[in-house]
Amino acid sequence: MRVMIDTNIFISAALFPKGRAAEALYKALIPPYQPVVCDYVIDELHRKFQEKFPNRTVELEAFLYTALPAFEVVATPEEINEAETKIRDPKDRPILRAALNAGADLFLTGDKDFLESSVEDPRIISVAAFLEL
């Protein structure tokens, strides 16, 4: 089962390695799950850390250095997908596009724009719901 991981999950896991988001991220690394991340999320992670946590970028780099080899990194397509219009925030739409293009079964996120959308494929799932699977 392919699981696309959203930016906020990585941020939470990097900042709080013993938290629920980290627990969900680690679960996604174990079969039957196949963890997937898109290049857009990786770029967004770097931007967000520079913007909000500039004194913790070393932690992010260390986290990515150890975590990313376990992930399939996919490109974010430029061509717009009709399903994207169900996402309120236009900045989030490329992530959904990448999840669709990668054939993700689940999209793990804490972002309400995704969680409250009517997107059904991939199944958008919160940390709590994923940990209950």
Side-chain angles (χ1 to χ4, degrees):
M1 183 172 290
R2 294 171 64 76
V3 182
M4 176 72 78
I5 311 295
D6 196 9
T7 310
N8 56 66
I9 302 299
F10 279 106
I11 290 172
S12 294
L15 295 176
F16 307 103
K18 295 186 185 206
R20 303 267 295 156
E23 186 181 343
L25 183 68
Y26 300 136
K27 179 178 178 172
L29 297 173
I30 301 167
Y33 303 108
Q34 299 170 320
V36 181
V37 66
C38 65
D39 54 359
Y40 185 92
V41 164
I42 295 168
D43 291 344
E44 188 174 50
L45 268 171
H46 287 101
R47 282 193 310 273
K48 294 283 184 187
F49 263 77
Q50 285 297 327
E51 197 178 292
K52 296 181 177 189
F53 314 105
N55 60 333
R56 299 194 67 186
T57 55
V58 171
E59 289 171 74
L60 172 67
E61 294 307 322
F63 176 78
L64 291 176
Y65 180 79
T66 56
L68 274 185
F71 283 78
E72 177 183 346
V73 179
V74 298
T76 304
E78 294 199 22
E79 187 175 319
I80 294 172
N81 186 300
E82 187 179 321
E84 292 177 47
T85 60
K86 296 177 181 179
I87 303 297
R88 285 187 297 239
D89 186 349
K91 289 184 255 171
D92 287 336
R93 293 176 181 174
I95 301 170
L96 177 61
R97 187 181 320 146
L100 290 165
N101 194 59
D105 300 294
L106 298 174
F107 181 71
L108 180 60
T109 186
D111 187 329
K112 289 186 184 209
D113 284 331
F114 283 109
L115 293 168
E116 295 174 355
S117 74
S118 60
V119 173
E120 293 179 13
D121 183 32
R123 178 178 164 203
I124 297 175
I125 190 166
S126 68
V127 166
F130 183 67
L131 290 172
E132 288 178 11
L133 289 181

